[in-house]
Amino acid sequence: MDNIEQRYATHPGDIPRMGTAEIRDRYLVDDLFAPGQVRAVYTHHDRVVLVGIAPTDSPLPLEGFAEIRSKEFFEHREAGVVNVGGDGSVDVDGETHALPHGGCLYIGRGVKSVTFSSEEGAEARFYVFSAPAHTSYPTTSVAPGEGTVRELGDPLTSNRRTLNQYIHENGIQSCQVVMGVTTLHPGSMWNTMPAHTHDRRTECYLYFDLPADARIIHLLGRPDETRHMTVADQEAIISPSWSVHSGVGTSAYSFVWAMAGENQSFDDMDTFPVSDMR
């Protein structure tokens, strides 16, 4: 696999000295999807790999690459997959799993062959979030909206949202990966507020279903030293464990949230009042 980029871990003390371009280079993944290609970013924060797969006329395999020192991608890894494009399917060691828009698939350690396809006339876009795994769990899929559903927020604070937990301690089983999809209700734009950090886990967001002319202002950094990035549709954010991850859009949208690190408890977060943010 040639389309692989490495990004090294950073210290929170680096944030105050960074300008806009460097912040975007470190934490924003704005070119993960390209028609007919497999693209990946390897971040040394919890050894997470983000992959964007955009099959067109021909299926695309996800193979190993030199940076993870594995012949097959899943030799020592597991992954959660969410389709953020048109209808598609994933073939895992000869078994085909249909994956519509917003559907989720877990792929466990030890799988040999994984191939991604778009349905005829559709343009699927598969977002893959992968972490190292110490054992194997069964490949499992879940349809959009059929995970553990939590209704959060309030329209009065512009953050009414439906959260679907797919891969988590009480859902699809995994070693490290925790994954789900949150969809904002019409008229709501804040995705996570009050904001929080996870001092034991790296979390990544992939924003999708955002209109082409809309943008999200994503906050990052320590709560008392925040910065922001302007983010477009189908762009991803790498949030180190010490970083705030919250954003507000010019329109409603959805996002894939995924974590890997010390534990799988969804509610293991370090909260703080908005009045403490700077």
Side-chain angles (χ1 to χ4, degrees):
M1 185 187 298
D2 296 325
N3 294 324
I4 175 71
E5 175 190 352
Q6 281 205 78
R7 299 194 188 184
Y8 289 95
T10 52
H11 187 276
D14 294 337
I15 287 283
R17 66 168 180 79
M18 290 183 185
T20 299
E22 187 173 3
I23 287 174
R24 292 175 70 87
D25 286 345
R26 296 287 187 94
Y27 305 111
L28 176 67
V29 184
D30 60 1
D31 58 353
L32 199 58
F33 296 100
Q37 294 186 30
V38 176
R39 292 186 171 184
V41 172
Y42 181 105
T43 171
H44 288 261
H45 287 289
D46 286 318
R47 309 291 177 180
V48 165
V49 177
L50 308 181
V51 188
I53 303 173
T56 51
D57 297 333
S58 301
L60 291 174
L62 176 56
E63 300 171 332
F65 50 91
E67 286 75 3
I68 63 171
R69 300 297 191 270
S70 296
K71 182 179 179 181
E72 290 95 17
F73 184 87
F74 291 96
E75 184 175 351
H76 304 294
R77 288 184 161 268
E78 63 180 359
V81 182
V82 173
N83 183 3
V84 297
D87 289 347
S89 62
V90 185
D91 185 281
V92 181
D93 281 348
E95 182 177 356
T96 300
H97 301 264
L99 206 63
H101 180 83
C104 180
L105 177 69
Y106 170 78
I107 303 174
R109 173 179 169 146
V111 164
K112 300 293 185 183
S113 172
V114 182
T115 304
F116 297 80
S117 303
S118 293
E119 296 299 320
E120 186 175 354
E123 296 182 2
R125 290 199 166 187
F126 300 98
Y127 171 63
V128 180
F129 177 95
S130 173
H134 60 270
T135 190
S136 179
Y137 288 96
T139 297
T140 308
S141 63
V142 59
E146 292 189 359
T148 301
V149 178
R150 298 173 68 168
E151 297 293 341
L152 302 173
D154 192 306
L156 295 178
T157 49
S158 300
N159 67 348
R160 182 77 171 120
R161 58 202 189 275
T162 299
L163 184 149
N164 287 278
Q165 296 173 312
Y166 292 140
I167 305 172
H168 62 109
E169 59 184 353
N170 297 312
I172 297 175
Q173 295 298 292
S174 71
C175 291
Q176 282 202 79
V177 170
V178 180
M179 181 182 248
V181 172
T182 295
T183 299
L184 276 71
H185 292 207
S188 288
M189 281 79 75
W190 280 102
N191 59 51
T192 305
M193 187 57 69
H196 58 267
T197 62
H198 299 278
D199 209 30
R200 290 148 296 280
R201 293 180 294 185
T202 296
E203 181 165 12
C204 297
Y205 281 2
L206 178 86
Y207 292 106
F208 70 105
D209 285 351
L210 182 71
D213 60 350
R215 292 294 184 269
I216 292 163
I217 305 302
H218 182 94
L219 302 178
L220 75 159
R222 280 271 177 88
D224 60 350
E225 189 78 52
T226 60
R227 296 294 187 268
H228 75 274
M229 288 182 288
T230 302
V231 183
D233 185 48
Q234 296 189 359
E235 294 183 346
I237 302 290
I238 299 168
S239 296
S241 60
W242 44 262
S243 179
V244 169
H245 37 278
S246 181
V248 60
T250 60
S251 172
Y253 52 90
S254 296
F255 64 100
V256 182
W257 47 265
M259 295 174 275
E262 198 70 31
N263 63 57
Q264 294 179 300
S265 173
F266 177 83
D267 293 315
D268 179 16
M269 55 187 71
D270 305 301
T271 60
F272 47 85
V274 176
S275 56
D276 287 350
M277 293 181 67
R278 297 291 183 270

